[in-house]
C-alpha cells in the first residue's frame, strides 16, 4: 500500500478515548448535544449519535489534510474531535470554513468546559475545595482563579507560585497554617496591596465560598493604612466565626518540617505534623502505642519502642529498623501511613486535604513519586483531596500518566499548570 491509498483511521480504543474526553458531548461551539444513550434493540445496549472527526484528514485529498503528520499522529486522539453526527458532517463538508486551527480551539474550549463541569460536580468530587482565587500574594498580583479536582499535581518552576498557592490554601485551615501564612506574607503590612484569598468548597451538594481578605468592609473610603483586621466572608456575608469546620488541611512543606533540633527525622516530622492534625506531639505518640501499628496504604509497620522512639518495617522488608536509620522513601511512606491512620481515626465528617510541597515528596525518585500519587488517588477511605507539587515537567507528565483513567484535565494559572484527577 502506498501512503496515498492509506487511510489513517482512528482505532476503536482511540475513538472511545476521544468520546470519553469530550464527555460524549458534541464539541461544536454551543451545540452540547449528548451523543450516547440506551438502546433496547442493539446488541451493545447503546445508541451512539456521535462521531470522531479528523481535525486533519485521514487520507490525502480529505478535508484539512496535513502531509507533515506521521500516520500515527494522524490516527491519534490528538488529531480528532468528538462531534454529533450533524456537526461531524458539517465540518467535513465545509473544510474551507472550519480550519484545523478552529477545530483545535473548539476542542480545547470544549475540554475546558467539561473539566469545569467535572471540577464543580459535587457528586464526583463529593467534597473539598473546587476553586481557589488569589490576589496580591507572591507572583499572583492579579486575581487568579485555579480549579482543583479531587487529586492535583501542580507543576511550576522555582518562583512560579507553587508555595504561594499551597500556603494560601493551607491558610483556610486556620491555626498554625494561618499563622505561618500571615507571617510569611506580612498580612496587614502598612501600604502593601490588599491581599485576598477565596476558596469554593462543596459540602453535601452545596457550594460555599469563603473569602479571607484585608479589604475594609463597610467603608466608603479606604483609609491610607488599611485596618489590621482580617475579614472573613462566607457566601458574601461577613462571618462572625472562622469557618474552620469546612477545612481540615494538612500542609506538608519544608517550612513546616524545618529542623527543630531533633536529630531523628521521624520524631522531628511527627512533631511538626501534630499541630496540623490539631493534636499534641504526645497525642500522636500515644496513637503509636500499639505494638504493631500498620496501614494498608503503603504497608509500613510501626512499632513504638520507647518514649519518642519507634521502629519501622517498610513494605517489602523483613526487618524493623529504628526510624533514624530509614532510607528517605521509607521515612516518607511511614510518615504518610501515620498521617492516613490519624485521619482515619478522626470522627468528624469534615473532609481532609493533604498538600505536599516538601522534601518529603521532592526527595523521592520518580518511581516512588508515582507510587505515592497512585496510592493517594486510589484511596477510597478516608476520602481525601490531595495536591502535590513538582518542579520538573517530566515528573508532571509521568504522574499524569500514572492514572490516565482518573485524569480529568489540565489548566493553567499564571506560570503554574494544574493536572487534575478524579
Ligand atoms: Zn453538534
Amino acid at each position: 500500500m502506498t501512503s496515498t491509498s492509506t487511510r489513517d483511521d482512528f482505532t476503536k480504543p482511540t475513538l472511545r478515548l476521544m468520546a470519553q474526553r469530550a464527555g460524549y458531548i458534541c464539541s461544536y461551539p454551543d451545540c452540547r448535544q449528548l451523543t450516547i444513550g440506551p438502546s433496547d434493540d442493539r446488541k451493545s445496549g447503546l445508541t451512539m449519535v456521535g462521531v470522531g472527526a479528523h481535525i486533519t484528514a485521514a487520507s490525502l485529498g480529505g478535508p484539512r489534510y496535513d502531509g507533515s503528520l506521521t500516520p500515527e499522529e494522524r490516527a491519534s486522539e490528538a488529531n480528532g474531535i468528538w462531534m454529533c453526527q450533524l456537526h461531524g458532517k458539517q465540518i467535513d463538508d465545509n473544510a474551507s470554513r472550519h480550519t484545523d486551527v478552529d477545530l483545535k480551539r473548539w476542542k480545547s474550549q470544549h475540554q475546558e468546559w467539561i473539566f469545569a463541569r467535572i471540577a464543580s460536580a459535587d457528586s464526583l468530587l463529593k467534597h473539598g475545595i473546587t476553586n481557589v482565587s488569589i490576589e496580591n500574594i507572591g507572583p499572583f498580583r492579579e486575581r487568579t482563579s485555579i480549579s482543583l479536582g479531587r487529586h492535583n499535581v501542580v507543576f511550576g518552576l522555582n518562583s512560579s507560585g507553587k508555595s504561594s498557592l499551597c500556603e494560601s490554601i493551607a491558610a483556610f485551615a486556620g491555626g498554625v497554617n494561618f499563622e505561618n501564612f500571615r507571617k510569611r506574607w506580612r498580612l496587614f503590612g502598612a501600604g502593601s496591596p490588599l491581599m485576598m484569598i477565596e476558596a469554593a468548597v462543596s459540602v453535601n451538594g452545596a457550594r460555599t465560598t469563603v473569602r479571607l481578605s484585608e479589604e475594609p468592609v463597610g467603608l466608603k473610603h479606604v483609609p491610607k493604612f488599611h485596618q489590621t483586621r482580617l475579614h472573613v466572608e462566607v457566601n458574601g456575608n461577613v462571618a462572625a466565626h472562622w469557618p474552620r469546620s469546612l477545612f481540615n488541611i494538612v500542609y506538608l512543606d519544608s517550612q513546616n518540617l524545618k529542623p527543630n533540633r531533633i536529630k531523628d527525622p521521624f520524631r522531628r516530622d511527627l512533631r511538626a505534623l501534630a499541630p496540623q492534625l490539631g493534636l499534641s506531639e504526645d497525642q500522636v505518640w500515644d496513637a503509636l502505642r500499639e505494638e504493631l501499628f500498620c496501614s494498608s496504604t503503603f504497608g509500613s509497620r510501626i512499632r513504638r519502642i520507647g518514649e519518642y522512639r519507634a521502629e519501622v518495617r517498610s513494605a517489602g522488608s523483613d526487618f524493623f529498623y529504628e526510624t533514624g536509620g530509614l532510607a528517605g522513601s521509607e521515612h516518607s511512606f511511614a510518615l504518610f501511613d501515620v498521617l492516613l491512620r490519624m485521619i482515619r481515626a478522626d470522627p468528624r465528617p469534615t473532609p481532609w486535604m493533604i498538600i505536599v510541597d516538601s522534601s518529603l515528596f521532592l526527595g523521592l525518585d520518580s518511581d516512588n513519586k508515582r507510587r505515592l500519587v497512585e496510592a493517594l488517588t486510589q484511596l477510597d477511605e478516608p476520602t481525601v483531596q490531595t495536591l502535590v507539587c513538582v518542579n520538573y515537567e517530566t515528573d508532571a507528565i509521568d504522574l499524569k500518566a500514572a492514572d490516565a483513567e482518573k485524569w480529568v484535565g489540565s489548566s493553567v494559572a499564571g506560570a503554574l499548570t494544574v493536572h487534575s484527577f478524579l
Side-chain angles (χ1 to χ4, degrees):
M1 280 212 299
T2 64
S3 65
T4 49
S5 65
T6 312
R7 281 187 56 85
D8 298 314
D9 286 320
F10 300 123
T11 61
K12 275 190 173 167
T14 300
L15 280 168
R16 191 181 317 123
L17 180 67
M18 200 184 300
Q20 287 172 335
R21 285 175 60 90
Y24 286 99
I25 293 170
C26 176
S27 307
Y28 192 89
D30 298 323
C31 169
R32 291 176 187 167
Q33 171 68 48
L34 186 61
T35 61
I36 195 167
S39 162
D40 290 338
D41 301 316
R42 292 186 68 94
K43 232 191 211 166
S44 64
L46 294 172
T47 179
M48 176 78 88
V49 292
V51 291
H54 277 80
I55 292 177
T56 69
S59 58
L60 189 63
R64 299 170 296 272
Y65 183 78
D66 179 356
S68 73
L69 296 188
T70 63
E72 290 75 30
E73 286 170 330
R74 210 168 281 129
S76 71
E77 194 276 334
N79 190 39
I81 181 167
W82 191 254
M83 293 267 161
C84 66
Q85 286 180 340
L86 181 81
H87 286 124
K89 178 148 174 51
Q90 186 190 320
I91 61 166
D92 279 353
D93 291 352
N94 296 277
S96 62
R97 285 177 65 124
H98 306 310
T99 65
D100 58 329
V101 178
D102 291 334
L103 266 46
K104 281 176 191 157
R105 191 179 68 245
W106 296 350
K107 181 176 179 176
S108 82
Q109 282 168 351
H110 182 69
Q111 283 183 350
E112 282 288 305
W113 179 75
I114 290 283
F115 176 69
R117 281 189 64 145
I118 286 197
S120 64
D122 296 323
S123 58
L124 288 173
L125 189 64
K126 290 198 178 79
H127 46 55
I129 298 176
T130 51
N131 190 276
V132 181
S133 296
I134 305 181
E135 193 174 329
N136 283 323
I137 291 169
F140 303 104
R141 299 262 67 100
E142 305 275 305
R143 191 189 158 108
T144 308
S145 171
I146 299 154
S147 292
L148 297 178
R150 170 138 175 236
H151 300 284
N152 307 276
V153 172
V154 179
F155 159 68
L157 302 170
N158 284 333
S159 315
S160 57
K162 290 193 301 294
S163 295
S164 309
L165 170 66
C166 293
E167 287 165 10
S168 299
I169 298 173
F172 286 98
V176 65
N177 286 328
F178 179 75
E179 267 313 296
N180 289 342
F181 174 80
R182 189 183 63 78
K183 283 185 207 143
R184 168 90 164 83
W185 297 108
R186 295 195 199 136
L187 253 62
F188 321 120
S192 59
L194 297 168
M195 75 98 218
M196 186 285 298
I197 50 179
E198 191 178 89
V201 190
S202 68
V203 182
N204 301 328
R207 185 180 154 104
T208 300
T209 306
V210 178
R211 181 187 175 92
L212 308 179
S213 76
E214 296 176 291
E215 282 169 58
V217 173
L219 294 178
K220 281 205 174 122
H221 304 286
V222 179
K224 195 170 177 193
F225 297 115
H226 49 89
Q227 289 173 311
T228 58
R229 191 191 285 174
L230 184 77
H231 293 284
V232 182
E233 285 173 55
V234 178
N235 291 335
N237 303 305
V238 178
H241 302 286
W242 184 273
R244 198 161 292 157
S245 58
L246 286 175
F247 305 100
N248 276 331
I249 300 169
V250 174
Y251 177 29
L252 304 169
D253 83 324
S254 334
Q255 198 65 28
N256 288 354
L257 301 178
K258 65 178 171 244
N260 42 21
R261 284 179 292 138
I262 293 174
K263 276 203 190 122
D264 177 358
F266 191 75
R267 185 184 165 194
R268 183 193 69 205
D269 287 354
L270 278 192
R271 172 182 278 198
L273 193 60
Q276 301 265 335
L277 294 159
L279 301 171
S280 70
E281 183 185 9
D282 285 339
Q283 282 173 314
V284 174
W285 279 94
D286 281 349
L288 303 181
R289 190 180 47 216
E290 296 161 53
E291 195 187 328
L292 281 178
F293 171 106
C294 66
S295 151
S296 52
T297 309
F298 297 108
S300 324
R301 297 183 83 86
I302 299 159
R303 177 159 81 185
R304 189 172 175 183
I305 53 166
E307 197 178 6
Y308 296 114
R309 288 172 57 215
E311 290 179 334
V312 174
R313 196 181 87 188
S314 304
S317 167
D318 291 332
F319 305 102
F320 280 91
Y321 293 99
E322 279 222 41
T323 51
L326 292 175
S329 59
E330 294 165 346
H331 168 94
S332 297
F333 288 127
L335 208 66
F336 273 102
D337 272 335
V338 174
L339 171 62
L340 291 171
R341 171 90 180 236
M342 303 304 286
I343 288 178
R344 278 192 192 99
D346 178 32
R348 294 170 301 164
T350 321
W352 285 85
M353 182 173 192
I354 303 174
I355 303 174
V356 190
D357 172 27
S358 71
S359 51
L360 268 186
F361 186 68
L362 297 178
L364 298 177
D365 63 26
S366 47
D367 280 351
N368 279 317
K369 279 190 178 120
R370 210 177 155 121
R371 184 179 160 209
L372 181 80
V373 169
E374 266 173 0
L376 291 175
T377 52
Q378 298 302 326
L379 206 65
D380 284 326
E381 193 56 44
T383 357
V384 290
Q385 189 178 19
T386 63
L387 192 156
V388 299
C389 294
V390 295
N391 284 347
Y392 299 103
E393 196 161 16
T394 48
D395 278 343
I397 290 166
D398 189 43
L399 293 173
K400 197 172 105 178
D403 211 332
E405 286 277 299
K406 293 196 168 188
W407 179 69
V408 178
S410 304
S411 56
V412 172
L416 299 180
T417 308
V418 182
H419 303 289
S420 297
F421 301 79
L422 286 178

